[in-house]
Amino acid sequence: MSRTRIDPVLRALPAWLVPLAMLAVTEFAMRASGIESDGLARPSEVATALLGLIGNGEIVLRTAETIGAVTIGVAVGGTLGLLLGVWMGLSPTAARLASLTVELVRPIPPVAIIPLMMLIYGLGIKMEAAIIAFACFWPMLLLSRDAVLGVEPQLIEVSRMLGLPRRQQITKIALPAALPRIFAALRLTLGIALIVAVTTEIAANPIGIGYAIISAGLSLRPEVMYAFLFWLAILGWLLNTGLVAMHQHLFGAAYGEAPR
Amino acid sequence: MRAAVPTLLKMMLAALAVQLSMTGLAAAQTKITIGVPPVPEFVLPMIAVEKGYFKDHGIDATIKIIPGGQSMPAALQSDSLQIAALSTASLIQVTDSGLDLVVVSGGAIASVDDTNYGIVAGANSEIEKPEDFIGKRIGTPGLGSFFHIMAREWFRRKGVDWKKITFVESTFPQLGDLLKARTVDAVLSTNPFLQRAAIPGIGGKVFYIAADLPDRLPPFVYAGSRSWADAHREAATGFKRAMDEAIAFQQHDLPAALEIFGKYVKMPPEVLKTLTINKLDTNVTPQQVQLWVDMMDKQDMLRNFKSPDALFLK
C-alpha cells in the first residue's frame, strides 16, 4: 500500500485505540501464561469489578471523599498562594522578605507533614485537606508571582500615567493580564492535589480512593485495586480535559490554545 | 368525639415519653470509634458491634478499618479514635517516644503451639535450618514491626546473628509473589498470606517462630489515650467485658465470626473460608508486656522506657 493511502488511515485512528490495545495485549498475555498472583488481575476482571463498584455506589462515595478533600485543599492553599504570589509579584520588598522563608519551607514534601497534621486534625477530611493545601500553596504562589511579573511593564506604566490608583492598577491591569497564566497554575495545582490526596489516603487516612486501593490490595482483591486505579486515571483525565475546555472557553480566543 | 381527643392526647404524650426515654438511653451510651487493621485477629470489636455486646455495656461503637498500624497512635492522640488495636511493640515504642497511651484491653495471645506466625522458605532456596538464612533475603511486612522483632528474637534464640540476614520490606499480599519470583529467599508472614506463600512450588520449609518464643506473648492490645481512658473508666471496663463476650461467640461459632469479619473486610469468599484466628484473650499483664520490652531492649529499640506498669491505668 502506498504511503499516500496509509497516511489518511493513520490520521483517522482515534487516540483511545492505544490504551485499548494495551489492555487487550495484557489480557491475552495473562490468559496465555496462566499467571496466578495475589497482586495482579486480568483487565476483564478489572472491568467486571469496576462495573460492580459503579453498581453498588462505592466508587461514587470514595470519589466524593477524595474530590471533597481536593476541593477544600485547593480552595484554601490555592487562594492563599494566589494572594501571596500576587503580592510578591507586585511588591519587590515583599518578594525579597519572603524569598528565604519560601525557599526554606517549599522543599518539604507534603507527605512528610502527615504525622503532624494527624496530631492536629486527626483522621478525616480536614487532615487531608490541610496537607493538600500545603502542597498547593507553593506552586500557586510561585506561578502567580511569575504571572504577575510577566505582565507587560508598559501596561503598568500606562495605568500609572493614566493616574489609576494602586488598587485599580492591580484589579484592572495586573490581574486580568496575569489571569491566563494563573489559570494554568490552577490546572497544575489540581494535578498535584489529586496525587497528594491519594498518597495521603494510602499512607494514613481511611477515606477516599487511595484508602479503597490499599484496602482492596490487603484483602486480596487485586481486581478491585486496579479498578480504582483505572478510575483514578479516568478521573485525572476528566479533570484535565474539563479545565482545558474551561481555559479555552475563558481565554482561548484572546490568548491562544491552552497547553495540553 | 369529645372523649377521643383526650385519649389521643394521652397517646401522643405517652409516645413522646417513650421517645424521650429512648433518646435518654441513647445519650447515656458512650460514643467511641475503634481503629483496627483488616486482619481476622481484630474480629472481636466487629462481633461486639454486630451482636450488640457494646450496646449492652453502654458503648455506641463505630469500627474504622485502618490498613497498617502506623497511623493509629497519632489518631488516638488526636482523639479521632478512642480505642485502637496496636501491636504491643508499637505501644511500647510510641510510649518510649513520649505519647501517653494505656492498655484498655488485651487482644490475642501467641502461644508456643501457634502456627500463625512463620517464616516460609522459598521452594528452591535450600533453606532447611535457621543457620541457612545467613546471607539470605527475607521479605518482611514492616521493618521494625512486631513481626520483624519476633523474627529477630527467634534467630537470636537459634544462635543466628540476624544482622547477617537482609530483611526487605513489603506488603502482605506481595510476599507470595516476591517468593515466587525469587526476589527474596523467604518471607515472614501470617495467615492467610502465610498459607498462600507456603503452597508447594512456591514455598518450601515453614518455620513457625512462636514455638521458640516466650509463651503467652501478647502480639497486640487495644489501647487508648490515658486522658480518654481515665475520663471513661466505665466505658473502658465495658469495652473489655463486651470483648470477652465476643470471644465466647467466636469460640462457639467461628464461621459466623468470619462472616461478620467479611462484612467489614471484603475478602474473596474462598479466602474468607480459609481464615484462622489466633487464640484471643483480653487479659494482659505488665509481666507479659515485659516480654516484649526484653526483646526490644536486646534489639536496641528503646531509649528510656521505664516500666510496663505505666501502660496500665491504676
Side-chain angles (χ1 to χ4, degrees):
Chain A
M1 204 182 276
S2 72
R3 182 84 197 169
T4 48
R5 282 191 188 175
I6 294 172
D7 277 353
V9 176
L10 288 177
R11 271 198 291 271
L13 288 178
W16 51 259
L17 216 57
V18 177
L20 204 69
M22 284 163 68
L23 290 173
V25 169
T26 310
E27 176 81 23
F28 176 76
M30 288 183 83
R31 281 185 186 275
S33 64
I35 195 164
E36 289 288 330
S37 164
D38 287 337
L40 297 173
R42 287 197 290 269
S44 55
E45 293 169 329
V46 176
T48 311
L50 186 60
L51 289 176
L53 293 171
I54 295 168
N56 65 22
E58 194 181 344
I59 213 154
V60 178
L61 171 75
R62 298 300 178 203
T63 307
E65 288 169 343
T66 300
I67 294 296
V70 166
T71 309
I72 300 170
V74 171
V76 175
T79 308
L80 291 175
L82 173 71
L83 292 175
L84 201 63
V86 170
W87 186 38
M88 286 170 70
L90 291 168
S91 160
T93 311
R96 190 177 53 78
L97 286 175
S99 61
L100 177 65
T101 315
V102 168
E103 293 310 321
L104 276 175
V105 187
R106 190 168 66 92
I108 297 173
V111 285
I113 63 165
I114 290 178
L116 178 68
M117 291 301 152
M118 272 187 66
L119 281 174
I120 298 171
Y121 296 111
L123 300 172
I125 202 160
K126 267 199 278 184
M127 177 265 270
E128 192 172 321
I131 296 164
I132 296 168
F134 177 80
C136 295
F137 176 77
W138 306 107
M140 202 64 190
L141 179 141
L142 295 180
L143 291 169
S144 43
R145 181 199 65 186
D146 291 349
V148 173
L149 287 175
V151 175
E152 288 287 329
Q154 290 94 325
L155 280 175
I156 306 283
E157 271 175 39
V158 168
S159 68
R160 279 192 197 134
M161 284 167 67
L162 289 171
L164 283 181
R166 180 80 168 152
R167 206 174 60 145
Q168 285 190 9
Q169 282 178 29
I170 297 167
T171 54
K172 302 259 187 215
I173 306 291
L175 273 182
L179 214 52
R181 275 183 242 175
I182 290 173
F183 195 84
L186 178 70
R187 270 181 62 206
L188 181 78
T189 304
L190 265 175
I192 294 170
L194 195 59
I195 293 168
V196 172
V198 174
T199 310
T200 306
E201 289 161 0
I202 287 177
N205 203 17
I207 60 167
I209 297 173
Y211 173 62
I213 289 171
I214 189 80
S215 297
L218 285 175
S219 53
L220 298 167
R221 294 182 303 153
E223 72 284 1
V224 176
M225 183 176 82
Y226 289 111
F228 271 111
L229 270 177
F230 186 68
W231 171 243
L232 198 57
I234 294 175
L235 196 65
W237 177 77
L238 281 174
L239 270 178
N240 188 53
T241 309
L243 283 168
V244 167
M246 206 189 285
H247 192 133
Q248 281 174 347
H249 175 72
L250 292 173
F251 314 108
Y255 299 96
E257 296 287 296
R260 279 169 191 275
Chain B
M1 183 68 194
R2 252 186 219 171
V5 173
T7 313
L8 193 66
L9 202 65
K10 272 182 202 165
M11 281 172 70
M12 283 170 70
L13 282 171
L16 188 68
V18 170
Q19 185 76 24
L20 283 173
S21 69
M22 286 178 77
T23 315
L25 196 70
Q29 300 253 318
T30 306
K31 270 186 175 293
I32 62 169
T33 306
I34 306 164
V36 291
V39 180
E41 269 65 42
F42 305 105
V43 73
L44 293 184
M46 302 172 196
I47 295 173
V49 168
E50 295 296 316
K51 292 287 154 192
Y53 302 146
F54 280 142
K55 280 238 151 66
D56 294 346
H57 291 282
I59 298 167
D60 179 9
T62 307
I63 305 286
K64 199 136 226 169
I65 306 294
I66 302 179
Q70 302 90 329
S71 53
M72 302 276 201
L76 284 175
Q77 201 66 32
S78 64
D79 208 32
S80 287
L81 302 174
Q82 283 67 51
I83 295 176
L86 291 186
S87 77
T88 313
S90 170
L91 175 68
I92 294 166
Q93 214 161 19
V94 297
T95 311
D96 187 41
S97 305
L99 291 191
D100 200 7
L101 305 181
V102 291
V103 174
V104 176
S105 164
I109 294 296
S111 49
V112 287
D113 54 355
D114 209 311
T115 56
N116 215 21
Y117 308 101
I119 305 175
V120 184
N124 300 304
S125 63
E126 296 176 356
I127 296 172
E128 292 297 328
K129 50 189 189 302
E131 306 88 82
D132 295 339
F133 280 97
I134 291 175
K136 304 283 191 198
R137 290 157 68 88
I138 302 180
T140 309
L143 296 178
S145 68
F146 80 95
F147 271 108
H148 192 196
I149 297 168
M150 283 168 85
R152 291 193 296 205
E153 173 68 11
W154 183 79
F155 281 117
R156 191 190 69 79
R157 287 174 178 236
K158 292 289 180 186
V160 175
D161 182 359
W162 54 261
K163 287 178 183 145
K164 292 179 180 163
I165 300 165
T166 307
F167 292 92
V168 184
E169 184 156 344
S170 168
T171 57
F172 278 112
Q174 267 76 55
L175 290 172
D177 286 348
L178 287 179
L179 199 59
K180 203 195 287 183
R182 299 192 190 175
T183 309
V184 294
D185 304 293
V187 295
L188 174 62
S189 195
T190 185
N191 285 323
F193 309 100
L194 190 143
Q195 294 161 329
R196 295 170 83 82
I199 294 170
I202 300 175
K205 191 173 170 68
V206 182
F207 300 84
Y208 293 107
I209 57 176
D212 299 295
L213 294 177
D215 198 16
R216 296 192 59 74
L217 194 63
F220 67 89
V221 293
Y222 291 89
S225 71
R226 186 180 300 277
S227 56
W228 181 87
D230 201 24
H232 300 85
R233 281 177 183 261
E234 213 170 301
T237 313
F239 177 86
K240 189 172 177 300
R241 286 194 185 134
M243 298 280 276
D244 281 327
E245 289 167 31
I247 289 179
F249 177 86
Q250 174 259 330
Q251 285 172 343
H252 175 70
D253 194 347
L254 180 63
L258 290 178
E259 199 179 310
I260 290 174
F261 177 72
K263 274 179 76 175
Y264 287 83
V265 182
K266 290 179 178 55
M267 282 192 157
E270 68 276 11
V271 178
L272 205 58
K273 269 187 273 177
T274 63
L275 294 180
T276 54
I277 297 178
N278 256 0
K279 191 175 183 308
L280 303 176
D281 194 337
T282 62
N283 296 310
V284 62
T285 62
Q287 290 73 31
Q288 285 170 286
V289 175
Q290 185 62 42
L291 298 172
W292 279 103
V293 176
D294 293 342
M295 289 197 284
M296 293 167 78
D297 252 341
K298 287 185 191 109
Q299 295 175 25
D300 288 330
M301 294 181 73
L302 301 176
R303 287 178 300 176
N304 38 28
F305 188 80
K306 299 283 186 306
S307 158
D309 291 322
L311 298 177
F312 293 83
L313 269 188
K314 294 283 177 304

